[in-house]
Amino acid sequence: MNKKLLFFFLVLLSSGLSAQSSLSLQEAIRLGMESSPIGKQIRASYESNRWQYRAARASRLPQLSLSGSAPGYTRRINQVFQPDGSFVFAPIQQAFSSGNLSLSQNILATGGTLSVGSGVSRGDIFSGVNSTFYQSNPLAINLSQPLVRFNSMKWQWKQNQLQMNMATRQQIENLEDLSITITQRYFDLYTANLQLKNAELNQAINDTIYKIAKGRYGVGKIAENELLQVELSYTNARNEVEKQKLNIVLAERQLELLIGRPIKSSDVSPPIEIPKIDPEPQLAVSEAKNNRSDLIGWQMNENQAQRAFREAQLSRRLSADMNISYGLNQTGNTFDAATKNPLESQFAGINFTIPIASMGANRALQKSAQYNLEAQREQNQNNINNLEQEVYASTLQFLQLKSSLKISSKADTIAQKRYEVARNRYRIGTVDITNLLIAQNEKDQALITYVSTLRDFWVAYFRLRRLTLYDFENKVRLVTESSY
């Protein structure tokens, strides 16, 4: 394998390329992650999730708000009831304005809300004798607490944490998916370039063989059928050159879209050294179960089913809400009067609901939620089993490709040598054209097989990283916990 790679680099040098123009596979992947539209889209999607999480985290902190109404004016005729039960229609003109400053805090452990506020309001009546009144609330403390209810606030916060954790892993998985795609397009371009050079070499050799065959035919050493066979091979070689030129143009365009910069086929070269790793299937499965976003998504689905089941259970029982408030308030015709000697304001109450007879509806809903939860758990276990099988098989495939790479490299070397021997023997007339063409086809096929195996190896390498989110070469996890 090293001899072929050395040959490839010599071809690059002979074409006049500088070292600065080459683009390694790792550099292509880095450019794709940093500069390509796909890489930018992945990071933007992650940032969106990160700011959503920060918004959810901020909602758990105290919230300060100012509310009120600007002066409003009303002029209309109202129906006014009299003490004797009769009523009269009287014109009314009035204005009203208010302001309130409130500090509230959600209580995650209990699902309640505690708030502290202060406010003032003013009313003006312009009908008859003008009058003004104020009402002040210097202090208002309110506690709203659900009793015997599902704590949706606590559940939602847990889901927000899992969602952020999953988004972090999904970003890495998406970047690893991008690495796989870039690797495929990178080797597509490298393969097209190598096949073009091989096709040009075959064209040049077949041109020489065709000239030799015409000379032999002229002196009667070969039949016309053999000459036509040689001419056909030469024509096919020329067509192959044109075909590979088109493949290079298309492959260059595909890779350019992924890395965000212009590229030429002569710029790419596969990694010289392959990773010296022999991943253990059990370790790969363990890391996948610890790191993959899928596991978190399945856990969120189960949590959702658990919530529905718990809510269905509580719907058959007593539910209640407790509200407690304490404050100070006062009224007066002037602002000073409304703020002096405030009076206490207190309130405590519990609202409750007791289901008595739902004709089996609540029980049916509970059973439905219960079986849905069981189904979700079984589905999660089936998903985990499939994940384990996928990772296990991918690990074995990687190890097999690592072994096949050495075999295909040796086969390519043998095919190259056999073709050289056959070509030299044809020149001196000891091998016919059929055997020469067989050797040429075997040489071409061995080269394609080797390059294809090399491509499959690197795709399998990055695929194993993506399936496990684990770097087997450096023995570190790709997922890192952060405070977001």
Side-chain angles (χ1 to χ4, degrees), residues 188-189 191-193 195-197 199-200 238-254 265:
D188 286 348
L189 181 55
T191 301
N193 186 42
Q195 288 181 330
L196 174 61
K197 294 183 182 302
E200 290 174 340
R238 293 173 60 190
N239 286 334
E240 185 66 19
V241 169
E242 297 303 318
K243 174 184 174 182
Q244 294 305 326
K245 286 181 179 179
L246 175 60
N247 288 341
I248 282 181
V249 173
L250 297 177
E252 286 176 343
R253 177 59 177 167
Q254 289 179 332
S265 62

Side-chain angles (χ1 to χ4, degrees), residues 31 65-66 127 156 172 182 191 200 208 218-219 237 362 415 456 473:
L31 287 173
S65 62
L66 176 64
S127 302
Q156 186 59 52
I172 300 173
I182 291 176
T191 301
E200 290 174 340
T208 301
V219 296
N362 289 342
D456 292 343
E473 193 170 7

